Amino acid sequence: MLAPFPMLAGEGTPVIAVRMILDRQRTGTLMAENPSERSTRRRKTLEAEHRPEAVRQRLSGRPGPGYLGDAVLGGIDGCVTTFAVVAGAVGAGFPGLVVVGLGFANLLADGFSMAVSNYQGTKSQLERVEEARLSEERQIEEIPIGEREEVRQIFAAKGFSGETLERIVEGITNDRRLWVDTMLSEELGLEVVGPNPFRAALATFAAFLVVGLVPLIPFVVPDLQTGTRFLASAVATGAAFFGVGAAKGFVLSRSALRSGLGTLLTGGTAAAIAFVVGAWLRQLFGAA
């Protein structure tokens, strides 16, 4: 029998295999396959993906830096911090209008702060790469023999030797930009192509706002009691925690179920702490 979806979505499972199985489950055509048949089908798929023309097309269309990770992390932080504020305000006995005001103020201020931090961090990384590039270019200009030796030793450590090694060194050092890029990635361990700081910040801010709005929605619905609003907010936020955590697991190629439950636990703990502190302060100061 085939394994259930949570196990298939775990680490090490090819995404294409999961999608194929899900498609068959939806259409009701999933049939039992023995290990040999599955192995044969998988091998044919891999062979098709590794034909020269397929490899050429895949490499030529290789995408640049993605921003899904920035959006996922922004969404998690937005949901956690906003619901923590909501829980604290409700625990303190504040009316619904105050809860909405505090929630929106936190949403905008904290979202902007996180976006700026992401912008500065991404920009700093790009500046580091550019500074290292200038340094490598100067070294290549001043001591080319020593820089060629570094390339030689880098690829010798990868198992190349003799004439093959010398041809690799010659091919790389004949192209100045390739030479510098090789030193940046192989010697310094830097990403040659990095994300755009503004786009990374925008993805973070947009996700922070969109997901962070979830805990506030029940408080703008008219004719609801505070307890009902808070319960609805808690349920919606829990679903958002799990959904965003599962998306994070997908982005990081980890178990979506485990990541979703982990984010739900983390966010729920933060909200519970905020609620308890708010209720404690309410009792301490005798608020109505």
Side-chain angles (χ1 to χ4, degrees), residues 39-71:
S39 177
T40 300
R41 176 165 51 81
R42 181 174 180 275
R43 181 176 180 82
K44 289 181 178 179
T45 301
L46 291 175
E47 287 177 349
E49 292 176 350
H50 288 81
R51 290 173 182 168
E53 59 274 16
V55 173
R56 189 180 304 110
Q57 182 179 6
R58 183 167 64 251
L59 294 180
S60 64
R62 183 165 45 186
Y67 303 95
L68 185 57
D70 297 294

Side-chain angles (χ1 to χ4, degrees), residues 63-87:
Y67 303 95
L68 185 57
D70 297 294
V72 168
L73 296 179
I76 291 174
D77 196 46
C79 201
V80 169
T81 57
T82 304
F83 186 71
V85 169
V86 168

